[in-house]
Amino acid sequence: MNKKLFISPSILAADFSCLGEQIQKALLAGADMIHFDVMDGRFVPNISFGIPVIESLREKFKDTIFDVHLMISEPERYIQDFARAGADIISFHFESTYHVQRVIEKIKSLGKKAGVALNPATPSFSVKEILDIVDVVLVMSVNPGFYGQKFIPSSLRKIREIDAMRRENGLKFFIEVDGGLNSENLHNVVSAGADILVFGAFIFKGDIQSNISLIKQELEKLEKS
């Protein structure tokens, strides 16, 4: 497998009383970027955090890739604010706006990478028409809104379908997978075509360094296979 695989720890599962310290531990252990799950209480039933958190952490982690996943309604209203706050990758949900292409173009016009996320029940062919302009397709392998859920097995089929469209059309976007990932299912997820792997509870509920080391060991085996 001749490709680089990326670890993106989701701080939604971190201890918010020492968030900066936990992010630092994850980066020192080998995380490639940090994943921010932004929830508005409308698109998903939960509320998490927003622009001030990203802005303040950007001051501390100036060179870290911030992978911002917007689980919010009408993301077009806030793209510029998140870009200004320090997001590097901005992913929004296909289901959250009527103007998917317009939002992608807005993100890219601000010099950021644009991602489109798909809920578990949204079919892969939904994004067919925008694959040539998107930088990331984020496959939700749990229903968005809460961390700690179990991986939905049918997500593997969706990853394979999106990877097939990528290969058939010679496209270069990344496939990101978010939800229920652990050391047991990551082999199947990567084999299906994933490039960016979002881990939440598996990294932050326990020893961060040991958990990331375990993931890296498994990914190194896959990268060499």
Side-chain angles (χ1 to χ4, degrees):
M1 178 173 294
N2 230 351
K3 69 174 182 176
K4 168 71 175 168
L5 301 168
F6 300 92
I7 300 171
S8 187
S10 170
I11 63 166
L12 189 64
D15 182 348
F16 276 64
S17 69
C18 52
L19 186 53
E21 180 184 330
Q22 296 227 314
I23 290 173
Q24 185 68 45
K25 285 182 179 179
L27 293 171
L28 289 173
D32 298 289
M33 58 189 77
I34 297 297
H35 189 86
F36 294 80
D37 285 308
V38 178
M39 305 177 185
D40 65 356
R42 287 182 61 204
F43 183 71
V44 293
N46 219 344
I47 296 174
S48 58
F49 47 79
I51 290 161
V53 171
I54 295 169
E55 207 167 33
S56 61
L57 289 169
R58 175 50 78 198
E59 287 297 312
K60 183 175 177 62
F61 301 101
K62 295 185 184 297
D63 299 320
T64 300
I65 297 171
F66 280 12
D67 175 23
V68 177
H69 174 196
L70 302 181
M71 289 180 262
I72 65 176
S73 299
E74 299 178 88
E76 55 269 33
R77 297 172 59 199
Y78 304 101
I79 295 301
Q80 192 158 345
D81 294 326
F82 280 102
R84 190 181 295 118
D88 296 296
I89 304 168
I90 302 177
S91 296
F92 65 96
H93 273 259
F94 180 84
E95 310 87 359
S96 68
T97 178
Y98 293 116
H99 307 291
V100 173
Q101 184 168 351
R102 187 183 300 170
V103 180
I104 292 170
E105 290 171 350
K106 178 65 174 177
I107 294 169
K108 293 171 79 75
S109 75
L110 295 166
K112 308 300 180 179
K113 300 295 185 186
V116 173
L118 296 176
N119 281 344
T122 303
S124 58
F125 64 76
S126 301
V127 293
K128 183 179 178 181
E129 300 304 322
I130 49 89
L131 291 180
D132 59 336
I133 60 170
V134 79
D135 298 298
V136 177
V137 175
L138 196 168
V139 176
M140 290 299 299
S141 43
V142 298
N143 286 294
F146 302 91
Y147 77 84
Q149 300 177 68
K150 289 186 177 180
F151 181 86
I152 297 173
S154 62
S155 304
L156 293 173
R157 181 179 66 250
K158 186 183 294 184
I159 299 165
R160 290 190 197 100
E161 290 169 353
I162 294 169
D163 182 49
M165 287 189 280
R166 176 171 62 177
R167 288 184 284 105
E168 287 165 7
N169 294 283
L171 300 172
K172 302 294 184 183
F173 62 84
F174 292 96
I175 298 174
E176 183 169 7
V177 181
D178 181 0
L181 296 190
N182 55 46
S183 59
E184 295 178 4
N185 57 32
L186 70 85
H187 284 256
N188 288 335
V189 170
V190 171
S191 296
D195 309 289
I196 303 172
L197 307 171
V198 179
F199 295 89
F202 187 78
I203 284 177
F204 288 110
K205 301 307 178 185
D207 185 83
I208 294 169
Q209 183 172 359
S210 297
N211 293 339
I212 291 181
S213 293
L214 176 58
I215 294 167
K216 287 179 69 67
Q217 288 170 16
E218 296 301 318
L219 292 184
E220 283 169 7
K221 292 177 189 175
L222 286 166
E223 286 171 341
K224 292 175 182 177
S225 65

